[in-house]
Amino acid sequence: MTPLNLQDQWARLLISSLKAAGVEHVNVTPGSRSTPWTWAALQQPGLCCHLHIDERSAAFFALGQAKATGAPSLLICTSGSAVANYFPAVIEANASRTPLLVLSADRPFELQGVDAPQTIDQTKLFGSHCRRYLDLGVPSARHSALRALARTAVQAVHATQYPEPGPVQLNARASKPLEPQSAEGELASSLEREVETLVLAGPTRASTPTAQADVAAIRRCAESAVAAARGLILCGPEPMASQKHAGPLWEFASATGFLVLCEAASQRRFAVPQGFPDAQVCDGFPTLFGLDE
């Protein structure tokens, strides 16, 4: 027999694991099929939940949130065309290398291909614009399935940050009853106790490696800078959270006297240190050099 509270506990374990993996902000666009995930997020201590009416605006809100914090923001929506409204922001997240996690609620397999309302093929919906696609399949009370659910949550969050930050789609199939159910009976109580144990233990952690420049490459760069009569430093797109790592850039620019060129999507043009020469920073160079024709 299937415990009546299976969907509740499945959603609780998933959201708890996502939080343990580093998710802090959840952006919800309400819908029937996403009820279990939304309820679990609202009940999860420590999560900051934001409610939105429109999927498109919610996605861009989450995108800006992730740019500002440098951490993956979670989007939760119902099934069908609702998911497709995230597409523009997902494309932006891909192009700007911004960590974004889409939790798309989906209908169970038996409702696929029979013209059930708000049911489409959500498999790899965002195509090559996502770093990874993960399908949670049908909720199961088996111990191995519960452990795999927690592991998959960590893998999803990890994939938003490594090896290259970007969007990830996590497809979650939900079967009725979608509303919270009480743990009545031994099966339901046993499942609740097992999930509680897994939640308290927490999922396996995945550490994101830190990239470091090759020492020999740094030496060659220094030698080239010393030998050059003049030079340019080009700053491309980057999230706001990266500003705290800008120190070495300005130290290098000060030591060499090289002109710092900041393109439109670079945060460096907004974070010039006090006392740094204004004449040494240029943020309109594409127009100046005729590169935007």
Side-chain angles (χ1 to χ4, degrees):
M1 293 179 62
T2 301
L4 192 61
N5 63 340
L6 174 58
Q7 187 66 71
D8 298 351
Q9 295 303 312
W10 185 260
R12 178 193 175 204
L13 180 57
L14 173 64
I15 296 299
S16 171
S17 300
L18 290 175
K19 179 183 179 296
V23 170
E24 297 178 353
H25 290 274
V26 182
N27 295 275
V28 178
T29 43
S32 175
R33 193 60 52 171
S34 57
T35 297
W37 323 112
T38 300
W39 180 255
L42 291 171
Q43 299 303 306
Q44 179 63 47
L47 279 183
C48 186
C49 296
H50 309 268
L51 183 65
H52 307 270
I53 297 175
D54 174 70
E55 283 86 8
R56 183 183 172 95
S57 60
F60 277 104
F61 182 91
L63 178 68
Q65 197 174 63
K67 283 178 176 289
T69 63
S73 284
L74 175 63
L75 280 160
I76 300 178
C77 71
T78 192
S79 61
S81 59
V83 193
N85 284 289
Y86 287 163
F87 217 136
V90 167
I91 292 174
E92 292 280 354
N94 175 36
S96 61
R97 298 175 179 83
T98 303
L100 193 66
L101 182 58
V102 174
L103 176 56
S104 52
D106 200 357
R107 298 296 185 98
F109 292 110
E110 63 267 22
L111 294 180
Q112 300 288 331
V114 294
D115 291 333
Q118 281 298 304
T119 302
I120 63 173
D121 182 3
Q122 297 178 190
T123 304
K124 297 185 177 180
L125 182 64
F126 304 113
S128 60
H129 297 288
C130 263
R131 297 290 181 268
R132 194 169 180 186
Y133 168 84
L134 295 162
D135 197 314
L136 299 179
V138 179
S140 171
R142 289 183 296 112
H143 180 71
S144 58
L146 295 172
R147 287 181 60 86
L149 176 66
R151 183 190 67 240
T152 302
V154 175
Q155 290 174 329
V157 175
H158 185 67
T160 65
Q161 300 169 302
Y162 181 81
E164 183 179 30
V168 169
Q169 181 189 0
L170 192 59
N171 202 50
R173 302 181 186 275
S175 300
K176 292 185 176 181
L178 301 171
E179 301 78 16
Q181 303 295 315
S182 59
E184 296 180 0
E186 181 53 34
L187 275 178
S189 298
S190 177
L191 174 62
E192 196 168 272
R193 289 193 297 270
E194 183 169 9
V195 168
E196 178 67 18
T197 300
L198 291 172
V199 167
L200 291 175
T204 301
R205 296 297 183 98
S207 300
T208 302
T210 302
Q212 288 186 310
D214 180 69
V215 175
I218 295 176
R219 186 180 298 112
R220 289 195 299 270
C221 180
E223 292 171 352
S224 297
V226 170
R230 58 181 64 87
L232 296 173
I233 300 173
L234 179 61
C235 299
E238 56 189 334
M240 291 176 62
S242 66
Q243 291 185 17
K244 58 186 177 182
H245 304 302
L249 164 70
W250 299 113
E251 291 174 9
F252 180 70
S254 296
T256 59
F258 289 176
L259 178 64
V260 180
L261 302 181
C262 305
E263 72 158 64
S266 173
Q267 299 298 324
R268 292 291 166 256
R269 62 198 182 104
F270 301 115
V272 180
Q274 187 174 6
F276 194 83
D278 292 338
Q280 202 171 324
V281 181
C282 176
D283 64 359
F285 67 91
T287 301
L288 183 65
F289 298 154
L291 300 177
D292 55 357
E293 295 179 355

